[in-house]
Amino acid sequence: MSHLSAFRTCIAAIVAVAVIGCASDRPETMTEPIGLQLVKKEPSLKGERFSNLLAGEEDSDLVFVSTNAALPRRDAKRAHTGRSSIQIPAGVGRVTFKLSSLLAGQSFPADWTLVGLYLYATRPTTASLSYWENEQILAAGSTTLRANKWSPLFVDLTSLTQSAHSSAAMASPNLVLVLDLDGPGEVWLDDLMLVDNTKQLVSEKDAGEMFDSWSIQRKGYQIVGDAPGRFRFSFATPERSDQGWTVREANAMRLWLTSNGTKKNELIYSDGRVYVDGQYSAIGMPAKGDPTLAEQHASPAELAVAPELGRVVRQSEGDANNDGYNEMMGTYELLATGPRLEVRITPRSSKLSRPVFEIRGLPPGKVLANLEGRMVERLVRLDDGTLLMELPARIERPTTLSLRVGE
Ligand SMILES: [Ca+2]
Ligand SMILES: [Ca+2]
């Protein structure tokens, strides 16, 4: 490797925000900085800010690691990224990392949402990682390592950043990470790092003047929502809990979450109406002040669509009784066969209050919709072209909704 190319590698490493050493005299052809290798290996890091504190590339890395039994050593046999990792001999139950020293004066937790590392075991092993300050445990996470595979194990720091600890500008000198291992064999670890995985899913400005304002963020292993002055919520993600939730859709109108846990499906609308596995409730205003929302969920309207323009969809997943009203989503389901649709809405035993429609099959373009002369303004187009539409009024008698896609 020439000095020039080594210099370039160094620059690239800095650009990639990877905090790694820049030794210019390594004999190996380390063509890619570890920061880039990490993003290739762990695509979820793409677009996220991270800082690698311990890459397992130098014998001096071992200074930051201690165990309750045999000594760790650097091992070139395996690497998550780079040339080597740190091998923990069989029989070691606890590995301690001097986090304060690794941080070398950086503020912490600052904006970091996760701290953790990658682990490799040859036999299934239970691994727990905990974060300690002054001998007090502040955050923890655990996983079961599958054999012969690198697995991430990270601790969510967001509860710390929300507490008084966020004001600490400098890292305390007494921060440690403790890795507890319960398994029959050796374990390798690599790439101990800080990550800021904060992602704005919906911002208050997305609401415009049309929708009830809210914001939704993924932060650490939580989905956090805030409708200022009206309601807040947070959900664990699957990384934190086997009951955790995955975002299927997030926009100014609603958040759709699914889970493999006991509860499977949750829709939260920005006006405070909520549907959990088809059961309606209200978590905030204005929905809390509107009893019709519960009544119409129990007794939805009858719909009729001019057959040359489309049809009511009665077989959507979540429509409990195939009447075109999907209890799981809280929406009426329609399919358009062209750019126009006319829907006759006939309330049954309940009046309707701001009913929501999901309309598939419309061509791309601007949607103009009106309810007997009144403009429908609460519209969202999803990436797959589906139109979400909330009607602006109470409907007490048969009423016609007309819409078309214009230029
Ligand atoms: Ca490494
Ligand atoms: Ca139904």
Side-chain angles (χ1 to χ4, degrees):
M1 183 185 283
S2 73
H3 285 294
L4 184 59
S5 70
F7 174 72
R8 282 192 182 137
T9 305
C10 248
I11 295 295
I14 292 161
V15 169
V17 203
V19 181
I20 56 168
C22 288
S24 60
D25 54 354
R26 284 182 189 164
E28 291 82 356
T29 48
M30 282 290 297
T31 50
E32 267 185 328
I34 286 189
L36 292 182
Q37 293 184 45
L38 266 168
V39 171
K40 279 191 178 165
K41 188 115 180 182
E42 307 290 339
S44 67
L45 290 171
K46 199 174 177 188
E48 293 176 1
R49 201 165 60 90
F50 58 87
S51 171
N52 195 334
L53 300 180
L54 194 66
E57 299 299 290
E58 310 290 337
D59 286 337
S60 57
D61 286 354
L62 299 170
V63 169
F64 303 100
V65 186
S66 59
T67 71
N68 66 336
L71 291 175
R73 63 183 191 87
R74 193 164 68 83
D75 185 4
K77 198 163 67 188
R78 297 188 202 292
H80 178 249
T81 60
R83 302 166 302 165
S84 55
S85 63
I86 296 172
Q87 184 201 22
I88 307 299
V92 170
R94 175 162 280 195
V95 184
T96 305
F97 303 92
K98 298 180 188 95
L99 184 58
S100 310
S101 308
L102 285 167
L103 288 166
Q106 292 184 59
S107 63
F108 186 80
D111 292 329
W112 299 112
T113 58
L114 301 169
V115 61
L117 73 177
Y118 294 86
L119 295 165
Y120 187 105
T122 48
R123 311 267 295 276
T125 300
T126 305
S128 309
L129 188 65
S130 50
Y131 163 67
W132 299 68
E133 181 174 354
N134 297 323
E135 300 183 356
Q136 196 186 349
I137 186 166
L138 296 180
S142 67
T143 191
T144 302
L145 305 177
R146 287 172 31 210
N148 304 320
K149 180 178 178 295
W150 284 99
S151 305
L153 176 55
F154 281 78
V155 173
D156 188 343
L157 299 168
T158 50
S159 56
L160 306 178
T161 52
Q162 283 157 12
S163 74
H165 286 273
S166 60
S167 57
M170 294 292 283
S172 151
N174 300 311
L175 301 183
V176 291
L177 276 180
V178 174
L179 174 67
D180 287 306
L181 297 168
D182 186 3
E186 300 164 312
V187 170
W188 288 259
L189 60 91
D190 206 354
D191 295 327
L192 190 156
M193 55 199 276
L194 307 172
V195 181
D196 176 9
N197 75 339
T198 304
K199 188 175 180 188
Q200 194 78 31
L201 302 173
V202 183
S203 71
E204 285 185 39
K205 70 173 171 14
D206 293 329
E209 289 173 3
M210 287 306 119
F211 290 94
D212 299 289
S213 179
W214 69 351
S215 63
I216 302 169
Q217 276 190 329
R218 191 269 312 270
K219 207 171 165 66
Y221 292 152
Q222 290 188 93
I223 309 296
V224 184
D226 185 16
R230 298 186 296 121
F231 58 88
R232 311 175 77 137
F233 56 81
S234 75
F235 290 85
T237 65
E239 291 90 346
R240 174 178 273 191
S241 163
D242 55 10
Q243 305 280 315
W245 296 86
T246 301
V247 175
R248 298 284 299 272
E249 183 195 309
N251 51 55
M253 184 187 285
R254 69 185 190 184
L255 171 67
W256 177 18
L257 299 162
T258 56
S259 169
N260 292 323
T262 322
K263 293 176 182 172
K264 305 287 183 203
N265 203 86
E266 178 146 359
L267 268 292
I268 303 174
Y269 285 76
S270 60
D271 67 359
R273 56 182 120 172
V274 174
Y275 303 86
V276 182
D277 291 335
Q279 299 294 310
Y280 173 78
S281 60
I283 58 168
M285 295 300 279
K288 264 193 165 170
D290 187 351
T292 306
L293 292 169
E295 292 161 20
Q296 70 180 1
H297 184 64
S299 177
E302 191 173 337
L303 303 186
V305 175
E308 68 276 18
L309 301 179
R311 64 180 172 84
V312 177
V313 177
R314 297 176 195 278
Q315 289 81 34
S316 65
E317 188 195 344
D319 182 348
N321 54 352
N322 304 114
D323 65 349
Y325 175 71
N326 188 314
E327 287 79 4
M328 187 175 88
M329 307 298 289
T331 53
Y332 294 91
E333 302 288 330
L334 299 174
L335 181 75
T337 49
R340 285 202 312 129
L341 204 58
E342 265 194 25
V343 190
R344 185 74 168 163
I345 303 165
T346 307
R348 282 188 268 229
S349 62
S350 169
K351 297 164 187 168
L352 300 186
S353 182
R354 294 179 286 115
V356 179
F357 288 73
E358 271 185 6
I359 305 173
R360 293 184 171 76
L362 290 168
K366 187 174 164 55
V367 175
L368 299 166
N370 76 79
L371 191 69
E372 298 196 341
R374 187 164 174 186
M375 282 284 287
V376 179
E377 291 175 311
R378 290 193 174 195
L379 302 172
V380 171
R381 265 289 178 123
L382 304 181
D383 292 343
D384 69 358
T386 301
L387 175 70
L388 301 182
M389 176 164 66
E390 180 187 312
L391 301 190
R394 289 174 73 80
I395 299 174
E396 304 186 0
R397 55 176 177 75
T399 303
T400 300
L401 166 72
S402 313
L403 73 93
R404 66 183 169 84
V405 178
E407 292 306 310

